[in-house]
Amino acid sequence: MTARRPSLAVVGATGAIGGVMLRILSQHADVWGEVRLVASPRSAGRKLVVRGEESEVLALSEDVFDGIDVALFLVPDEVSARWAPIATSKGAVVIDDSAAFRLDDDVPLVVPEINPHAARLRPRGIVASPNCTTLSLIVAVGALHAEFGLRELIVSSYQAVSSAGRDGVTALREQLSLVAGTELGTHPGDVRRALGDGAPTSTGPFSPFAAPVALNVVPWAGTDAGDGWSSEELAIREECRKVLGLPELRTSATCVYVPVVAAHSMSVHARFENEVAVDRAHEILATAPGVVLFDSPASGDFPTPSDVVGTDPTWVGRVRRSMDDSRALEMFICGDNLRKGAALNVAQIAESVAAEITSV
Amino acid sequence: MTARRPSLAVVGATGAIGGVMLRILSQHADVWGEVRLVASPRSAGRKLVVRGEESEVLALSEDVFDGIDVALFLVPDEVSARWAPIATSKGAVVIDDSAAFRLDDDVPLVVPEINPHAARLRPRGIVASPNCTTLSLIVAVGALHAEFGLRELIVSSYQAVSSAGRDGVTALREQLSLVAGTELGTHPGDVRRALGDGAPTSTGPFSPFAAPVALNVVPWAGTDAGDGWSSEELAIREECRKVLGLPELRTSATCVYVPVVAAHSMSVHARFENEVAVDRAHEILATAPGVVLFDSPASGDFPTPSDVVGTDPTWVGRVRRSMDDSRALEMFICGDNLRKGAALNVAQIAESVAAEITSV
């Protein structure tokens, strides 16, 4: 007897993360029975290919969740906040990629390499997936934590513009074409003159960034979270604490956009309870699930976004022990913000739920 | 009676830093008597404008230092190592921008805002100026140290390609034109396919970087310094210790090139002996010489390279107290790597030596 394959709804199928999700579903084609593609009424009726077949996009409504076992939400916070409870009321398990439920006590926040069992206890029928910045580092850091006992994280991000959505990529593209005619920012104000101040209110092209992002870096991601912090910086702190089960983990993050299309990088200072050795850290990272160790810098082997984009794992390099602290490691970590940073982690959680359903 | 104005030689006048130096000399036109421009024999005979007048570039030789009071060396390490002792033997005081002497015990390493008096004690007649990465952060950090007592620095750089010289800027320019036709790095290998591996040995255009730098970030600057560290990372550590007079300062740096033409940025975690308050840190930074405080992120006021390029000061924003450590501050700091990061600091040191000479 073959177990019934569970049915899946993909809400937000037409977005940037939705597009990556369809590719992942095509690669993992045998997991799901029916796959229903859902988006806003504006995108309804479009045809998308998944698992080699064309499928029409349905408008988001209560009815689309009828008979659905698992619903993936790849949509803005407010859409998840409104529609996820409707999906669960219809009996679906929701895997949500938005920030709407991540820090709720009765919603597990899951990274399958680290806390897979947390997905089984979901009193509201919702499982949340972390922010792309958290996901870009936590698989590697979690593997080291299991051995050395993590006490403190100080991280600086080099974030890709695609984590600000399609608008982020468009803004970089348009800004690069505008500055191409200048002397590439060698003189004061070149970039500013070409782009205005780059903010949404400027006369330049629309941009989701608070400053020009072409030939520039922008140390502000998300919204104002008080005391000088951005929402993305506090998300890393709170989500790392929750996923790792370390409510007192000391964490300071600085989030910075860089002119890279896809793949986040993080410079990480990690302090542990116990002494660390680079050789042992290398062994752990080389064998940890979901991690690629790429660390021979004198030979040019260190991860960069261009190596990592389109791949599933978290890549780690530049591992060294702090010269003044035998309990701390420095690392440079890269991960594709649209794959493990978003769609892949959601798909992994969904597959673990599917395995539960089919094993009942 | 008017004091004799001292004579100056600018060695490396035709380089990128030399060009910035000539602009600074034109702005501070009344400090120096004769200004002699010197470069490699290859560049000799060129005419450059300084202080509004054309001046012919002389080939580097022993004779060019005859009658020179102060000689600025804006040249590679090996050129400084060979020629600075020749200049001092002719009676000139050398202000050297290279790494050749920075860590020698009998050569002071000077940042005029921090340790101006160190320039007066120069047993070999040489005063060294720090690396551009050290200079991009030390003025701000030094001001906070004077009040709070610095104990640890954890820094991640966002370095401009011009710190790798004219080749760095050319490489970014050529790589940007090559990737312009691609889909901007959204698919795996786009950037790598367009650029080869970006290393000097590849078939792509020459690049001083170990990976593509357009639409990418490169976590490696300088040469292999052992145990996984790059030379630039250790330079920040040793130079901060020497300039601040803190031989035991705990320091971990990660140096990363970003596709920015000019102005270095640094994400800084600074831990102090005493408790810190953001209000007091703001007061210190707002009044510190050589520092601009630009810190109202919710209104879009934080420093980025495009704000800072071409300006003299170190710009500081994103100041906040670590949520888990009342003795630590996070900051984002930007400075023009060719001005304060190189030519301006050398000019400031030279002017302090000129003041000595004229006051004798």
Side-chain angles (χ1 to χ4, degrees):
Chain A
M1 191 186 89
T2 308
R4 180 182 73 84
R5 290 190 301 166
S7 56
L8 182 75
V10 181
V11 184
T14 57
I17 297 169
V20 178
M21 182 62 78
L22 298 191
R23 290 204 293 276
I24 291 171
L25 292 174
S26 298
Q27 291 156 357
H28 305 200
D30 56 339
V31 177
W32 304 102
E34 182 189 1
V35 173
R36 211 172 281 172
L37 307 185
V38 182
S40 67
R42 188 164 44 94
S43 299
R46 282 180 55 186
K47 300 251 169 69
L48 296 176
V49 174
V50 61
R51 301 188 297 186
E53 286 174 23
E54 243 186 19
S55 182
E56 184 170 320
V57 176
L58 307 176
L60 180 55
S61 73
E62 295 198 17
D63 297 344
V64 298
F65 299 108
D66 286 338
I68 290 294
D69 294 303
V70 177
L72 313 183
F73 276 71
L74 313 172
V75 291
D77 300 355
E78 61 278 11
V79 181
S80 284
R82 177 171 169 206
W83 288 93
I86 293 169
T88 58
S89 75
K90 296 272 191 155
V93 175
V94 167
I95 321 296
D96 183 38
D97 192 48
S98 86
F101 307 103
R102 284 178 188 146
L103 300 181
D104 289 3
D105 284 338
D106 50 3
V107 172
L109 184 67
V110 176
V111 180
E113 290 87 347
I114 297 180
N115 62 344
H117 302 302
R120 288 177 169 261
L121 190 68
R122 42 178 193 260
R124 288 162 68 185
I126 302 173
V127 181
S129 183
N131 191 299
C132 54
T133 44
T134 304
L135 280 167
S136 67
L137 66 89
I138 199 164
V139 177
V141 165
L144 295 168
H145 165 59
E147 171 105 0
F148 298 127
L150 187 66
R151 287 295 167 271
E152 184 169 24
L153 280 177
I154 297 167
V155 302
S156 297
S157 78
Y158 301 69
Q159 292 184 227
V161 297
S162 56
S163 72
R166 292 193 197 281
D167 286 343
V169 179
T170 303
L172 174 58
R173 198 185 301 259
E174 293 184 354
Q175 291 180 13
L176 278 177
S177 68
L178 282 171
V179 294
T182 73
E183 285 181 51
L184 281 175
T186 28
H187 294 297
D190 273 358
V191 175
R192 291 273 174 180
R193 262 199 304 277
L195 302 176
D197 64 3
T201 51
S202 83
T203 53
F206 174 75
S207 166
F209 307 109
V213 74
L215 299 178
N216 209 25
V217 302
V218 183
W220 187 253
T223 55
D224 181 16
D227 291 331
W229 297 92
S230 73
S231 57
E232 198 117 329
E233 290 161 352
L234 296 196
I236 291 176
R237 172 186 159 89
E238 299 305 329
E239 294 175 16
C240 284
R241 288 177 160 200
K242 184 167 176 176
V243 173
L244 295 170
L246 292 171
E248 316 221 317
L249 180 65
R250 295 156 70 111
T251 305
S252 290
T254 300
C255 287
V256 182
Y257 282 113
V258 294
V260 165
V261 174
H264 287 348
S265 306
M266 312 286 274
S267 171
V268 177
H269 173 92
R271 200 168 49 76
F272 298 91
E273 185 178 5
N274 301 309
E275 292 222 338
V276 296
V278 169
D279 286 353
R280 182 69 190 124
H282 274 169
E283 286 172 11
I284 294 165
L285 294 166
T287 55
V291 175
V292 166
L293 178 69
F294 191 50
D295 192 13
S296 181
S299 315
D301 289 353
F302 45 75
T304 77
S306 75
D307 298 299
V308 163
V309 61
T311 71
D312 286 345
T314 301
W315 295 48
V316 187
R318 301 297 327 278
V319 182
R320 58 247 194 251
R321 192 164 84 162
S322 306
M323 300 184 83
D324 306 303
D325 185 349
S326 60
R327 299 177 185 211
L329 289 172
E330 317 294 325
M331 286 165 282
F332 195 77
I333 306 181
C334 293
D336 188 319
N337 55 303
L338 299 179
R339 287 188 73 92
K340 183 61 184 177
L344 178 63
N345 198 65
V346 169
Q348 288 174 297
I349 299 169
E351 289 176 16
S352 76
V353 172
E356 265 181 65
I357 293 171
T358 53
S359 71
V360 170
Chain B
M1 194 186 90
T2 309
R4 181 182 73 85
R5 289 190 301 167
S7 56
L8 183 76
V10 181
V11 183
T14 56
I17 298 170
V20 177
M21 182 63 77
L22 298 193
R23 291 204 292 277
I24 292 171
L25 291 175
S26 298
Q27 291 158 356
H28 304 200
D30 55 340
V31 177
W32 304 102
E34 183 189 358
V35 173
R36 212 172 281 173
L37 306 185
V38 182
S40 67
R42 188 166 44 93
S43 298
R46 280 180 57 189
K47 299 252 169 70
L48 296 175
V49 173
V50 59
R51 300 188 299 186
E53 287 174 21
E54 241 184 22
S55 182
E56 185 171 319
V57 176
L58 307 176
L60 181 55
S61 73
E62 295 199 17
D63 296 344
V64 298
F65 299 108
D66 286 338
I68 289 294
D69 293 304
V70 177
L72 313 183
F73 275 72
L74 312 172
V75 292
D77 299 356
E78 61 279 12
V79 181
S80 284
R82 177 172 169 207
W83 287 93
I86 293 170
T88 58
S89 75
K90 296 270 189 159
V93 175
V94 166
I95 320 297
D96 183 37
D97 193 47
S98 85
F101 307 104
R102 282 177 188 145
L103 300 181
D104 290 2
D105 283 339
D106 50 3
V107 172
L109 185 67
V110 175
V111 180
E113 291 86 348
I114 297 179
N115 62 345
H117 301 302
R120 290 179 166 257
L121 191 68
R122 43 179 192 260
R124 289 161 68 185
I126 301 172
V127 180
S129 183
N131 191 298
C132 54
T133 44
T134 304
L135 280 167
S136 67
L137 66 87
I138 199 164
V139 176
V141 165
L144 295 168
H145 164 59
E147 170 104 0
F148 297 127
L150 187 66
R151 287 294 168 270
E152 184 168 25
L153 280 177
I154 297 167
V155 302
S156 297
S157 78
Y158 302 70
Q159 293 184 225
V161 296
S162 55
S163 73
R166 291 193 196 281
D167 285 344
V169 179
T170 303
L172 174 58
R173 197 186 302 257
E174 292 184 356
Q175 291 180 14
L176 278 176
S177 69
L178 282 170
V179 295
T182 73
E183 283 181 52
L184 280 177
T186 27
H187 294 299
D190 273 357
V191 174
R192 290 272 175 183
R193 262 199 304 277
L195 301 177
D197 64 4
T201 53
S202 83
T203 53
F206 174 75
S207 166
F209 308 110
V213 73
L215 299 177
N216 209 25
V217 303
V218 183
W220 188 253
T223 56
D224 180 16
D227 291 331
W229 297 91
S230 72
S231 57
E232 197 116 329
E233 289 161 352
L234 296 196
I236 291 175
R237 172 186 158 88
E238 299 305 329
E239 294 175 16
C240 283
R241 288 177 160 201
K242 184 168 176 177
V243 173
L244 295 170
L246 292 172
E248 317 222 314
L249 179 67
R250 297 157 68 111
T251 306
S252 291
T254 299
C255 287
V256 181
Y257 282 113
V258 294
V260 166
V261 174
H264 287 349
S265 306
M266 312 286 276
S267 171
V268 177
H269 174 93
R271 199 168 49 76
F272 298 91
E273 185 178 4
N274 301 308
E275 292 222 338
V276 294
V278 168
D279 286 352
R280 182 68 191 126
H282 273 169
E283 285 172 11
I284 294 165
L285 293 167
T287 55
V291 175
V292 166
L293 177 70
F294 191 50
D295 192 11
S296 181
S299 315
D301 289 352
F302 44 75
T304 78
S306 75
D307 298 300
V308 163
V309 61
T311 71
D312 286 344
T314 301
W315 295 48
V316 186
R318 300 298 327 276
V319 181
R320 57 248 196 251
R321 193 163 85 163
S322 306
M323 300 183 84
D324 305 305
D325 186 349
S326 60
R327 298 176 187 214
L329 289 172
E330 317 294 325
M331 286 165 283
F332 195 77
I333 306 182
C334 293
D336 188 318
N337 55 302
L338 300 180
R339 287 189 72 92
K340 183 61 184 177
L344 178 63
N345 199 65
V346 169
Q348 288 175 297
I349 298 170
E351 289 176 16
S352 75
V353 172
E356 265 181 63
I357 292 171
T358 51
S359 70
V360 170

